[in-house]
């Protein structure tokens, strides 16, 4: 596990598991360059926050200033780490990289235009019964759910 301080990752001990009664807050990244291009970013490298996305995270961080945060985790994707850094900027708190929180692996769908993907027959299954779908050369929705669940329960 890595701890990130000032956007520099370094090795660190794994954080201790959360006690019972802990509150989990999941923060999605702000608007990204992939969002504005209409593509399914997935795990594509080099996808960053837009100016609007940075403003979104700064704004929501203000809404949660009174919330005590003991531990912050992020995936290793640029847009997620940028969001975590901005969200935590007013706090004296670093964040840890948690590989289990990485975006779903969309396989051959990564980086493709959403308008084009929406026309594919697989998209109907994804929308109606995602639990029954796995991406070619990627992962299934249930696999992703289990991966995230394991990360939460560490």
């Amino acid at each position: 596990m890595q701890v990130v301080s000032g956007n520099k990752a370094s090795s660190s001990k794994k954080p201790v598991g959360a006690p019972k009664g802990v509150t989990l807050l999941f923060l999605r990244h702000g608007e990204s360059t992939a969002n504005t291009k209409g593509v399914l970013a997935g795990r594509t490298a080099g996808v960053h926050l837009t100016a609007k996305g940075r403003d979104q995270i700064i704004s929501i961080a203000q809404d949660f200033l009174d919330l005590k945060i003991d531990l912050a985790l992020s995936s290793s994707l640029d847009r997620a780490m940028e969001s975590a850094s901005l969200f935590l900027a007013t706090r004296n708190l670093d964040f840890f990289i948690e590989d289990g929180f990485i975006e779903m692996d969309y396989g051959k769908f990564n980086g493709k235009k959403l308008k084009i993907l929406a026309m594919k027959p697989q998209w109907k299954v994804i929308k109606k019964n995602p639990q029954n779908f796995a991406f070619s050369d990627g992962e299934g929705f249930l696999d992703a759910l289990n991966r995230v669940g394991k990360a939460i329960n560490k």
Side-chain angles (χ1 to χ4, degrees):
M1 180 153 301
Q2 296 176 319
V3 63
V4 178
S5 176
N7 287 331
K8 291 185 179 179
S10 62
S11 295
S12 177
K13 280 179 39 178
K14 181 177 164 186
V16 178
K20 291 187 182 215
V22 70
T23 299
L24 296 176
L25 172 68
F26 285 88
L27 173 69
R28 186 179 188 274
H29 61 80
E31 181 186 75
S32 73
T33 53
N35 297 136
T36 60
K37 293 177 183 174
V39 300
L40 185 63
R43 296 181 180 179
T44 305
V47 176
H48 297 276
L49 295 180
T50 62
K52 179 180 178 181
R54 288 187 294 276
D55 289 345
Q56 289 169 332
I57 298 300
I58 291 167
S59 176
I60 199 160
Q62 295 299 311
D63 293 339
F64 285 92
L65 281 176
D66 293 336
L67 179 68
K68 182 179 183 295
I69 298 176
D70 296 313
L71 176 67
L73 303 169
S74 173
S75 85
S76 59
L77 293 172
D78 294 327
R79 61 192 182 269
M81 291 192 302
E82 291 167 9
S83 295
S85 292
L86 287 168
F87 186 83
L88 298 169
T90 61
R91 302 169 185 265
N92 187 22
L93 187 66
D94 297 328
F95 63 90
F96 292 88
I97 300 298
E98 173 50 65
D99 293 333
F101 289 165
I102 191 87
E103 176 78 36
M104 190 167 172
D105 184 353
Y106 300 116
K108 294 178 180 178
F109 281 32
N110 277 331
K112 303 286 189 233
K113 290 270 189 188
L114 288 165
K115 286 182 181 180
I116 293 170
L117 293 175
M119 294 185 290
K120 295 191 174 285
Q122 301 98 314
W123 205 253
K124 289 181 183 176
V125 178
I126 293 167
K127 290 300 196 178
K128 289 188 177 192
N129 297 300
Q131 70 277 7
N132 296 329
F133 189 82
F135 288 92
S136 177
D137 294 330
E139 69 184 325
F141 283 89
L142 290 179
D143 295 328
L145 178 65
N146 289 329
R147 174 176 44 77
V148 172
K150 286 178 185 176
I152 290 170
N153 290 311
K154 280 185 182 180

